Amino acid sequence: MIKKAFSVLLFLIGFTSVAQNNLFNEKPPVFPDCATVSTDSLQQCFDTQVFKHIFNNFKVPDVVSENNYKGEVVVLFEVDKEGAFRVIYVDAMYNELKDETRRVFNEFPKIEPATYNGNATFKQYSMPIPIPLIDKSVQTKDLASNDELTELEQGAKTEYDQVNQNLKPFSNREYTSQLNIPFTHSYYAQFERSVNLVGTNSHTGSKPFIYEDIAKYYDFGAEKEALMKDKSSFAGRKLWNERLVRVEGKDYWFAIDPIFDFELGKDTEADFNNTYNNTRGINIQGGLGKRFSFYTSFFESQGRFAQYYNQYAESIKAADEVAIIPGRGIAKDFKDNGYDYPVAEAYLSYTPADFLNIQFGHGKNFIGDGYRSLFISDAATPYPFLKLNATFWKIKYTSTWTWLRDVRPEVEEDGAYLPKYMATHFLSWNVSKRLNVGFFESVIWNNANNRGFDINYLNPIIFFRAIEFETGQGAGNALLGLSSKFKLNDNMNVYGQLIIDEFSTSDVSGGEKSWKNKFGYQLGYKYYNAFKVKNLMLQLEYNRVRPYTYSHNTIVLNYGHSNQSMAHLWGSNFSELVLIGRYHYKRWFGNAKLIVGERGLDFNDGIDNFSYGGDIYRNYNDRPFDTGVTVGQGNKTTSLFANIQAGYLINPATNLKLFADVTFRDFNPEVENTATRSSNTIWFNIGIRTDLFNWYFDF
């Protein structure tokens, strides 16, 4: 049984080893008899010559004929850069069939190799060979054009044509599928210019993007092909160019890859010796037909981070647990000052019509064009969600329903975390070829009074603020938002967000700076191919959020999940300036980030226990005053965060990277206490990572 399972695994791995294919720049291998054939017919001619050679030379072994065996031999073969045929793997019932297959392929003559952009390249194919074979008298005929075939020959031709349809290279269906493009700021920066050209009717606010949508503006296959290394060995291609396992049929495909994140570092401020992260996992993704895709990944991780990060992780810990790793999940103790934190993410993606995509899964979402989002960010841990994306004319409309939880001890019910729910609408409208505006609304409610999942919020086009008034303002926490983006030219755009939790125009005009004015805003600028340096992206962003924004008087209705903010990871009562530079050249990349900010934290010293509006999990009725409320009030804290990272992309198919970075963090509160401490950190780190999501260490 083990031997059989191992054989199947080898078959899957071998079966999926393929050359990268680009229809616009690639020519298949050419037999001498195909030299005068038109370019459009070269692949068909190659297929025909392969089958003619096999059917004219393959001799069914006696043991197979004597047993009247009916089945097939599946062979994976390659035409290398010199035009030579080479068998990679054969799967068959009899060893004699495997040996005969290898013999026949060894007799193929050298031919003109495949080319990509005019350069010779290898090409791999998989094909089944039917057993028993087509009658020899039929094999000598021109199977593609003979109109006078006997009934037996017609059956043979049908069988030939069916098999011939399977002699095709893999086609990278992932890059035109309904799968999400793994959302990392560094990867998205590589193709953001392509989707932000003046005049493109793209929508960049709702993330992660879907390959099918972005493929209209960016050729993922060609870009990955340009990064391919010249590796002829199976192991070399799997390490440097390809996914580990990839299977593709007429109506399906799937891929399997390992996930790694091995890091080792040093925090100069920490009492312990080293920082580390040890993640192992598996990623499975694929598609069925043209409209259904699926994705799942599981991460098993142990880690110990910089001291300031560990302290924050423990400060937001769940009831009866040791910590929550920000953005990842609940953690348990692991050895000395370490954490064990497993994470699983998965989703199904279905496009029943060209204008509609539906996703159901467990993961994260992001709304905005900036590094931060004041609407929905990916700073919190994954959560269950149902999302509808409708795109028509110049509009993209996104409705999302999520299942969140409050994990604090004070709201725990019978040993279980308290559930709550969030529904959001986001309408993106391309007003002109340069201007985009977006309208956002969100509401959070919980299971109070056995309310459960309120059907009132299930309507994807209803106004949540009106529903909140109808059901009672204490029943939910609704927010409104406005976003915009203007393309100055193909290389520059400006963007912004405005989030309104509550607003009192009378208090604004009176100049009293009321606590009721709970809002925040973002202003940003992006510069692609900056200063005419190709692939250099610069970004400038300013974020400012007033005290008590995102909080509520019913504390479970705050805008948070698992003790983390669903918007900006700093919560509220802050201002920050973000400077980012990103550059890539072939497989090399570099990122630099500088964040300067001011925050207003609580004192929590036993004497002053008021809420000054920075902690969204506190009841805003605990405020010390109603007027004179300003950003940075309370325990004023300044911070500076700088990070420089450089690395090398090992495998572009899986986004496996080798990197090294250094982080400097200076954190200075006016008053220190057990929860808020001054910190001056230099953190060195090296590692190898499958880069599939954003890590945020800048708080």
Side-chain angles (χ1 to χ4, degrees):
M1 186 69 180
I2 295 176
K3 182 177 180 181
K4 184 177 180 180
F6 183 70
S7 175
V8 172
L9 178 61
L10 285 178
F11 167 68
L12 287 174
I13 296 175
F15 180 73
T16 59
S17 178
V18 299
Q20 302 297 316
N21 180 36
N22 187 288
L23 298 177
F24 301 104
N25 303 295
E26 190 173 48
K27 186 176 75 172
V30 180
F31 281 89
D33 290 349
C34 301
T36 58
V37 172
S38 67
T39 302
D40 293 341
S41 301
L42 280 177
Q43 186 64 60
Q44 181 180 359
C45 186
F46 172 80
D47 298 350
T48 301
Q49 294 299 319
V50 169
F51 278 97
K52 281 186 176 181
H53 177 88
I54 293 173
F55 290 135
N56 285 330
N57 293 279
F58 198 99
K59 299 177 181 178
V60 178
D62 292 340
V63 64
V64 177
S65 300
E66 291 169 0
N67 290 323
N68 294 319
Y69 171 73
K70 293 183 179 181
E72 65 182 21
V73 178
V74 179
V75 57
L76 177 72
F77 67 93
E78 174 182 276
V79 181
D80 64 22
K81 296 174 67 173
E82 283 71 43
F85 283 74
R86 183 175 70 90
V87 173
I88 297 174
Y89 183 81
V90 183
D91 183 69
M93 177 70 72
Y94 296 90
N95 288 330
E96 290 83 356
L97 285 173
K98 296 179 182 179
D99 294 339
E100 178 62 12
T101 300
R102 293 189 179 93
R103 183 193 68 79
V104 170
F105 272 84
N106 286 337
E107 292 182 358
F108 267 102
K110 276 192 174 184
I111 62 175
E112 181 183 330
T115 59
Y116 179 80
N117 283 338
N119 299 315
T121 185
F122 68 90
K123 195 73 174 175
Q124 293 177 358
Y125 299 87
S126 64
M127 62 169 289
I129 302 174
I131 304 297
L133 290 169
I134 298 173
D135 185 271
K136 291 291 183 181
S137 63
V138 178
Q139 295 169 23
T140 59
K141 296 180 180 290
D142 182 354
L143 297 176
S145 61
N146 193 339
D147 296 328
E148 299 178 354
L149 299 178
T150 66
E151 183 177 349
L152 173 63
E153 291 168 340
Q154 288 285 5
K157 180 183 184 302
T158 300
E159 182 179 18
Y160 173 88
D161 289 340
Q162 290 173 345
V163 175
N164 191 32
Q165 291 175 4
N166 291 323
L167 182 58
K168 294 181 179 179
F170 290 107
S171 55
N172 290 323
R173 296 186 193 176
E174 171 188 359
Y175 303 140
T176 55
S177 71
Q178 295 77 36
L179 284 176
N180 293 332
I181 305 171
F183 177 41
T184 66
H185 292 292
S186 59
Y187 183 43
Y188 274 42
Q190 295 183 20
F191 56 80
E192 271 194 355
R193 180 183 182 274
S194 298
V195 297
N196 277 295
L197 297 177
V198 174
T200 55
N201 189 29
S202 61
H203 298 271
T204 59
S206 182
K207 299 179 176 71
F209 298 145
I210 299 173
Y211 277 109
E212 184 179 48
D213 294 339
I214 305 303
K216 303 171 185 176
Y217 312 102
Y218 184 82
D219 192 335
F220 290 95
E223 295 295 328
K224 297 293 175 69
E225 186 72 37
L227 296 175
M228 294 297 103
K229 283 184 174 292
D230 184 11
K231 299 293 179 181
S232 58
S233 69
F234 175 81
R237 292 195 300 271
K238 292 301 174 184
L239 174 62
W240 298 101
N241 296 334
E242 303 175 1
R243 295 191 176 278
L244 178 63
V245 174
R246 186 174 63 183
V247 175
E248 183 174 312
K250 181 179 180 181
D251 296 316
Y252 66 88
W253 71 272
F254 69 88
I256 304 174
D257 292 291
I259 297 171
F260 303 111
D261 188 354
F262 302 140
E263 301 179 32
L264 184 64
K266 176 64 178 178
D267 174 11
T268 58
E269 190 182 36
D271 298 329
F272 45 80
N273 292 326
N274 297 306
T275 65
Y276 66 89
N277 192 60
N278 176 16
T279 294
R280 297 88 53 217
I282 187 170
N283 176 291
I284 303 173
Q285 57 186 310
L288 300 174
K290 295 181 179 180
R291 295 187 177 272
F292 182 81
S293 300
F294 61 89
Y295 174 97
T296 183
S297 60
F298 175 75
F299 306 79
E300 175 59 39
S301 304
Q302 294 81 39
R304 181 173 64 202
F305 308 93
Q307 183 165 293
Y308 79 90
Y309 191 87
N310 297 338
Q311 290 172 348
Y312 178 72
E314 293 179 11
S315 72
I316 61 172
K317 67 181 180 180
D320 304 320
E321 302 294 350
V322 65
I324 289 180
I325 305 302
R328 303 311 294 147
I330 292 175
K332 299 183 180 297
D333 275 320
F334 180 77
K335 295 185 177 180
D336 296 331
N337 301 311
Y339 309 103
D340 188 337
Y341 60 103
V343 182
E345 298 186 53
Y347 64 88
L348 304 174
S349 181
Y350 177 55
T351 302
D354 291 341
F355 67 88
L356 179 65
N357 175 259
I358 304 170
Q359 293 191 5
F360 176 68
H362 187 266
K364 303 182 186 183
N365 295 280
F366 187 101
I367 295 180
D369 288 289
Y371 174 68
R372 310 288 201 190
S373 174
L374 305 186
F375 295 171
I376 293 179
S377 80
D378 59 338
T381 58
Y383 45 81
F385 68 89
L386 172 65
K387 180 165 66 174
L388 275 63
N389 279 314
T391 306
F392 54 94
W393 187 51
K394 299 180 180 182
I395 288 175
K396 180 174 183 179
Y397 189 73
T398 302
S399 292
T400 309
W401 297 268
T402 60
W403 288 256
L404 309 177
R405 59 186 181 180
D406 196 317
V407 299
R408 293 170 295 163
E410 56 266 36
V411 298
E412 195 176 29
E413 291 186 347
D414 300 323
Y417 301 131
L418 184 67
K420 57 183 181 179
Y421 314 96
M422 181 170 73
T424 65
H425 298 156
F426 179 65
L427 187 148
S428 172
W429 175 28
N430 287 326
V431 180
S432 70
K433 65 180 182 180
R434 293 180 183 270
L435 177 64
N436 171 274
V437 295
F439 304 93
F440 171 82
E441 64 170 347
S442 175
V443 64
I444 287 184
W445 74 99
N446 74 327
N447 200 28
N449 301 319
N450 296 316
R451 189 180 182 196
F453 191 92
D454 195 331
I455 196 171
N456 285 294
Y457 297 120
L458 196 58
N459 190 324
I461 58 175
I462 204 164
F463 290 101
F464 293 144
R465 180 63 75 176
I467 289 295
E468 186 189 20
F469 276 106
E470 181 180 320
T471 57
Q473 293 193 51
N477 180 16
L479 295 90
L480 299 175
L482 176 68
S483 68
S484 64
K485 179 180 66 179
F486 186 80
K487 305 172 186 177
L488 301 173
N489 53 49
D490 286 344
N491 291 324
M492 299 183 189
N493 64 62
V494 292
Y495 60 89
Q497 289 184 334
L498 172 67
I499 186 72
I500 300 175
D501 189 356
E502 193 171 345
F503 196 78
S504 174
T505 55
S506 61
D507 289 325
V508 171
S509 61
E512 295 181 341
K513 298 180 180 178
S514 170
W515 74 275
K516 295 180 183 179
N517 291 321
K518 299 185 293 179
F519 66 89
Y521 62 87
Q522 174 187 89
L523 297 172
Y525 167 77
K526 288 183 179 179
Y527 186 11
Y528 307 105
N529 292 339
F531 306 111
K532 299 183 179 181
V533 178
K534 186 178 180 180
N535 300 326
L536 173 63
M537 191 277 281
L538 300 179
Q539 183 175 5
L540 172 66
E541 182 174 299
Y542 179 74
N543 297 291
R544 185 180 181 89
V545 178
R546 279 183 53 80
Y548 308 109
T549 308
Y550 305 118
S551 62
H552 201 268
N553 59 359
T554 304
I555 58 175
V556 295
L557 296 183
N558 58 69
Y559 203 66
H561 165 61
S562 291
N563 293 344
Q564 301 149 90
S565 171
M566 284 295 291
H568 197 296
L569 77 170
W570 286 8
S572 56
N573 193 12
F574 71 85
S575 61
E576 69 163 354
L577 181 67
V578 181
L579 297 170
I580 296 175
R582 304 188 190 278
Y583 177 73
H584 69 276
Y585 175 73
K586 295 183 178 179
R587 295 196 181 207
W588 296 95
F589 66 89
N591 300 305
K593 185 190 309 177
L594 175 66
I595 300 175
V596 180
E598 180 181 275
R599 306 166 66 176
L601 306 179
D602 296 337
F603 290 100
N604 292 328
D605 55 5
I607 300 175
D608 185 344
N609 291 319
F610 290 111
S611 169
Y612 287 89
D615 184 354
I616 68 171
Y617 276 84
R618 294 199 61 177
N619 187 329
Y620 57 57
N621 286 332
D622 293 338
R623 62 188 179 275
F625 33 74
D626 292 341
T627 59
V629 173
T630 59
V631 172
Q633 68 178 19
N635 189 3
K636 184 172 293 186
T637 302
T638 59
S639 65
L640 185 149
F641 180 93
N643 175 269
I644 298 177
Q645 182 183 91
Y648 184 79
L649 181 62
I650 298 174
N651 190 325
T654 60
N655 216 22
L656 180 64
K657 296 179 177 179
L658 179 69
F659 69 93
D661 68 8
V662 58
T663 295
F664 173 75
R665 177 180 182 267
D666 186 60
F667 188 81
N668 291 298
E670 284 186 342
V671 178
E672 289 191 80
N673 52 51
T674 55
T676 306
R677 304 172 185 173
S678 295
S679 174
N680 190 279
T681 301
I682 300 178
W683 183 15
F684 300 94
N685 205 33
I686 60 173
I688 180 172
R689 171 194 298 161
T690 307
D691 201 10
L692 300 176
F693 56 87
N694 291 307
W695 277 100
Y696 294 102
F697 297 101
D698 42 19
F699 49 81

